[in-house]
Amino acid sequence: MGFSAVNPVRDDVVITPPFMPDLSVKEFGEAMKLDGTVTPARMAYALKDAALSVCRELKSWVSFVIDSDGFLTLAEYDVAYRTDKSFSFKKAVYNTAKAQLTEHYRDYDTGRDASARSKELTPTIDSCYRNARNAIADITDEPHSTVELI
């Protein structure tokens, strides 16, 4: 058995607010191609923080769906309307969590190439936040961008 410098990702479950699906730390690590250098505890923390943030943004939409249709979970909504909003929720949370982890981990690089590496990660962070915004827009059936003439 050889030495491994990375942490194995346990399949912990992150409990989300009511209505939304719970999240798997292992599924998050695999979906976002995290190599295990981020500990499962940090992944779980980032997922919980991101889930709360996304749920806060979706609060009025969730209230509307519950009040108008009486659904108790997003999965019930998906089945009734044949949508994939549960996938979009996970996409929003996963991308927000990855952006936050990437932001925090680039702060720890103390090598001489730290500044260059930090600049290389900025597009990744921006891309993750954009993907999260688009996933939230998919859930609320809003356009991905707003363009105004000045």
Side-chain angles (χ1 to χ4, degrees), residues 33-44:
K33 299 179 182 173
L34 298 176
D35 63 3
T37 56
V38 180
T39 66
R42 287 180 198 245
M43 282 193 264

Side-chain angles (χ1 to χ4, degrees), residues 18 20 32 58 78 121:
M20 296 302 184
M32 301 311 289
L58 293 171
D78 280 346
L121 291 174

Side-chain angles (χ1 to χ4, degrees), residues 3-8 35-37:
F3 173 75
S4 175
V6 296
N7 298 307
D35 63 3
T37 56

Side-chain angles (χ1 to χ4, degrees), residues 99-134:
Q100 291 172 350
L101 286 169
T102 305
E103 284 177 328
H104 293 298
Y105 271 80
R106 75 177 177 178
D107 291 341
Y108 296 117
D109 191 355
T110 58
R112 62 182 164 173
D113 295 330
S115 179
R117 176 81 175 122
S118 178
K119 288 178 184 174
E120 288 175 13
L121 291 174
T122 299
T124 301
I125 294 166
D126 293 343
S127 178
C128 286
Y129 280 127
R130 183 192 66 242
N131 291 341
R133 300 275 353 126
N134 288 344

